[in-house]
Amino acid sequence: MKQHGARWLLIGLVGTVGSIVLVAMIDRPATAEVPEVKAEVEGDIDMGEVRKHLDVLTGYETRLTGSVGEQGSREYIVRQLRLLGAVEITQQEFTVAVPVRRRGEVVGVIGGREVRVPVYPLWPNLARTCQTPPGGLRGRLVYGGKGSDAELRGLRLEGSLVVLDWDSDLGWLNVPEFGGQGVIFRGERAATRTLAQRKFLTVPADIPRYYVGQEDVGMLDALVASGAEVRVECEVAWERVSAMNIIGKISEGEMGRGGRVIDRTPVFFSAYYDSISVVPDRAPGAEQACSAAILLELARQLRKVRGPRPVYVLFTSGHGQAMAGMTHFVEAVRAGKCVRPGLVVSLDFSSGSDAYGVFALGFFRPQIEIYVAPRYGTLGHKLTELVRRMAREGNDSPARFVDGINNTSGRSWWTYFPYIVTFESELGTVAGIPSVTIATVSDSRSYVDTPDDRRERICERRLARQVTTCEGKQAGLVTLATALVQWRGSFVNRGIEDTWSMVGGRVVWLDQERDYVPNQPLVDGMVFIKQRQSSKYFCGTRGIPALMTDSNGYYRLGGLR
């Protein structure tokens, strides 16, 4: 019996080892040749140029998709691509649903003089916007601090409009409980992303909520002190707006015999250029502009790089709308309307840390790590080797560059992000397109998705320590990008399965004079698709897609697994 058991144990052990070896051999890339990138690259990220781009992109109150700021940023990016001599520039148009404000104000009287204070509606509670009824909301303004039970005790809230501090937490939910008509937040002090995201709900609750900018808080306080009745008027609705992806071809790739490109599978470097905020009309998106500003400068430097494959840059819009821009791009690739990338490298930089890394997974479209990560294993190892070779003096410690693919430091990839991280590259992987992200780590991005994500908060010194090259100390973004452009062969150890799916349907209503059952299409109706409980708290994007039905009542959403 003992011999029998020992024999089966030996067979099991041999089988296990054989399986491991077999998997290793299967996941081994057919070709993974990366020509050595010298420390003396032909160019480097010019932070002066990045600063110039940041000044332009953050010069708008909002870059919400479809806004004047988003359109202006798009035109600026196209101009810059033309100036740097892009071989080809194309644009992909698509539509998304966003809340659009036409007007909003608090109207009152102080000392016989009419006073109007601008108010900005907060993000809708699903389909329910902060639209006021005809004639507006009328009532007294009551100041309630942060909305705690102690601060509201003794106040007459029935029929009032309650003014609260913006840096409050969930106290605003007490207002409708005690008969208040709505909430107006004083934007005097900044509130973090966590506090801001708690000021809208994922149920269609009819609770009007408004924001008053710091510049108008004094007048709002004067209206509160007057004790007079005021009127709040706001016109806001979900609307379908036009958005645009921008694709610039930076180089054709080296030609071989017969005048053909040596490797036809191009590398795409991508970044989104719009912004989002809990207050849609106050979304300066400074941290959100870092990647687009850096990509513009990287494109200029990549014009000098010779490699075996074409190079493209992709600027996506609709990022805040459940990454609609990248979804549209991937669908165009799958439909054969756009060249298929050999690799997509999304940039996701911020300025709260000087550390960064490469990642293949995120929480937007969660995938099984043991299935996805090994396919990018060689890519992660090669980039890490390059970084360490550049840092000959040992100054670029493992903490400065993270291999978030192979988890070589003993930490799981998600532990480098103190928030629920989402990457546009996830959508490429879902579609079987090799895609990774180079992202800043160990940065809480506290003011992303708030009105306080402003230009003056960006730390250019930390941003520079991530992206610039310094021989003997750090590799820099141009070095990493050059290595990927000069990469020969496949970027993945094994092919990635295309698991891209779409959900769609039709919304109808019952016209009792025409039909026995609901059959009339609901035009421009709102549809929301909930998938994960934590999706409300994604950083920089909405995890619950907002869709509008077409003229026949139909809707569709791609990019699901």
Side-chain angles (χ1 to χ4, degrees):
M1 290 290 291
K2 289 183 179 179
Q3 290 179 349
H4 225 66
R7 183 186 305 166
W8 282 111
L9 180 62
L10 180 60
I11 292 173
L13 182 60
V14 171
T16 302
V17 172
S19 298
I20 293 173
V21 172
L22 180 62
V23 169
M25 291 181 68
I26 290 174
D27 277 341
R28 199 180 195 180
T31 306
E33 178 190 347
V34 187
E36 182 174 350
V37 180
K38 297 181 180 180
E40 300 84 10
V41 291
E42 291 188 40
D44 192 19
I45 296 294
D46 184 337
M47 289 304 296
E49 291 295 309
V50 173
R51 185 179 303 113
K52 180 183 73 174
H53 301 324
L54 282 172
D55 289 342
V56 174
L57 295 175
T58 61
Y60 302 95
E61 279 298 327
T62 182
R63 294 194 314 281
L64 182 73
T65 312
S67 67
V68 171
E70 187 257 5
Q71 295 168 10
S73 299
R74 177 200 313 163
E75 293 168 0
Y76 176 77
I77 290 170
V78 171
R79 286 198 304 270
Q80 292 302 308
L81 290 177
R82 286 174 179 158
L83 286 173
L84 64 84
V87 177
E88 178 181 309
I89 302 173
T90 59
Q91 299 186 47
Q92 298 175 329
E93 186 174 9
F94 58 98
T95 61
V96 294
V98 297
V100 176
R101 167 187 177 268
R102 299 301 176 189
R103 64 189 183 94
E105 57 188 4
V106 177
V107 184
V109 177
I110 299 178
R113 181 173 62 91
E114 185 178 76
V115 173
R116 294 176 179 268
V117 179
V119 296
Y120 301 92
L122 268 62
W123 195 263
N125 293 331
L126 288 189
R128 186 63 177 97
T129 67
C130 298
Q131 171 81 29
T132 54
L137 299 173
R138 296 176 180 271
R140 291 176 55 253
L141 291 177
V142 176
Y143 176 63
K146 295 184 182 298
S148 66
D149 291 345
E151 290 171 301
L152 296 180
R153 186 176 294 116
L155 298 179
R156 183 177 159 188
L157 300 183
E158 183 72 31
S160 66
L161 296 160
V162 180
V163 177
L164 299 178
D165 294 328
W166 178 237
D167 58 346
S168 58
D169 202 335
L170 292 171
W172 66 274
L173 288 170
N174 289 324
V175 172
E177 290 288 332
F178 294 100
Q181 294 190 75
V183 182
I184 301 174
F185 291 102
R186 303 170 68 253
E188 182 179 25
R189 295 188 298 272
T192 62
R193 182 187 71 257
T194 302
L195 292 177
Q197 288 175 328
R198 289 177 180 171
K199 292 179 172 62
F200 70 95
L201 306 175
T202 55
V203 293
D206 184 11
I207 309 175
R209 295 144 295 122
Y210 306 97
Y211 174 89
V212 172
Q214 184 178 16
E215 67 278 9
D216 296 310
V217 165
M219 189 59 69
L220 177 67
D221 290 345
L223 283 173
V224 173
S226 72
E229 184 180 270
V230 299
R231 181 176 77 255
V232 176
E233 297 180 344
C234 183
E235 184 180 347
V236 57
W238 283 101
E239 294 185 13
R240 185 183 290 105
V241 300
S242 175
M244 202 83 72
N245 290 337
I246 308 163
I247 302 174
K249 189 174 187 180
I250 301 304
S251 66
E252 294 281 8
E254 292 179 357
M255 299 295 181
R257 292 180 179 178
R260 293 183 178 181
V261 177
I262 296 175
D263 192 332
R264 293 181 179 275
T265 56
V267 178
F268 277 71
F269 294 92
S270 75
Y272 64 91
Y273 66 92
D274 58 349
S275 66
I276 195 170
S277 167
V278 172
V279 185
D281 296 283
R282 304 296 287 264
E287 293 288 359
Q288 291 186 295
C290 288
S291 297
I294 290 170
L295 182 55
L296 277 173
E297 171 59 7
L298 178 63
R300 189 169 71 90
Q301 298 301 332
L302 288 178
R303 286 282 292 155
K304 309 171 186 177
V305 175
R306 292 178 59 82
R309 62 183 77 240
V311 179
Y312 290 79
V313 289
L314 166 65
F315 295 86
T316 61
S317 185
H319 178 84
Q321 286 65 57
M323 302 189 186
M326 182 57 78
T327 300
H328 182 83
F329 170 75
V330 173
E331 288 187 326
V333 171
R334 295 182 75 248
K337 298 178 181 178
C338 182
V339 61
R340 187 177 183 85
L343 178 70
V344 175
V345 184
S346 293
L347 305 184
D348 195 359
F349 286 105
S350 59
S351 68
S353 166
D354 60 3
Y356 66 105
V358 59
F359 299 87
L361 295 162
F363 288 116
F364 187 68
R365 294 288 182 262
Q367 300 187 69
I368 301 172
E369 184 171 357
I370 59 173
Y371 171 78
V372 174
R375 284 158 170 74
Y376 294 98
T378 298
L379 182 64
H381 282 308
K382 288 288 186 179
L383 292 182
T384 302
E385 288 174 8
L386 174 62
V387 168
R388 289 177 176 170
R389 188 166 70 244
M390 290 285 293
R392 293 187 304 275
E393 298 172 7
N395 293 318
D396 198 340
S397 66
R400 288 288 307 284
F401 180 82
V402 174
D403 181 356
I405 295 174
N406 298 293
N407 298 325
T408 52
S409 63
R411 292 174 57 179
S412 295
W413 65 269
W414 50 268
T415 62
Y416 292 99
F417 302 97
Y419 54 87
I420 305 175
V421 63
T422 59
F423 295 134
E424 289 197 343
S425 62
E426 295 177 59
L427 290 163
T429 298
V430 169
I433 301 170
S435 304
V436 296
T437 294
I438 296 177
T440 302
V441 301
S442 304
D443 180 4
S444 63
R445 307 192 186 199
S446 297
Y447 296 101
V448 169
D449 208 350
T450 78
D452 302 298
D453 183 14
R454 298 196 170 276
R455 176 70 173 86
E456 58 268 21
R457 294 185 185 277
I458 293 180
C459 180
E460 294 182 16
R461 177 181 57 82
R462 292 197 189 104
L463 200 59
R465 282 175 62 83
Q466 295 176 71
V467 300
T468 56
T469 303
C470 183
E471 185 178 357
K473 292 185 179 180
Q474 64 189 47
L477 183 60
V478 173
T479 305
L480 295 179
T482 300
L484 294 173
V485 170
Q486 295 179 348
W487 187 285
R488 297 180 185 274
S490 175
F491 289 97
V492 289
N493 299 353
R494 187 183 177 191
I496 304 170
E497 184 182 359
D498 185 348
T499 59
W500 190 274
S501 298
M502 184 271 290
V503 63
R506 187 169 185 252
V507 183
V508 296
W509 62 281
L510 176 62
D511 183 345
Q512 294 179 330
E513 295 182 355
R514 301 173 61 179
D515 306 306
Y516 288 105
V517 295
N519 192 43
Q520 299 305 310
L522 183 64
V523 180
D524 291 337
M526 294 304 302
V527 177
F528 298 86
I529 299 179
K530 292 186 178 181
Q531 299 177 77
R532 303 182 66 223
Q533 187 175 4
S534 61
S535 59
K536 174 184 175 182
Y537 296 102
F538 287 167
C539 182
T541 189
R542 296 287 173 262
I544 302 177
L547 312 173
M548 292 188 77
T549 58
D550 63 18
S551 58
N552 293 311
Y554 286 100
Y555 66 90
R556 67 177 299 277
L557 174 68
L560 303 178
R561 289 185 59 234

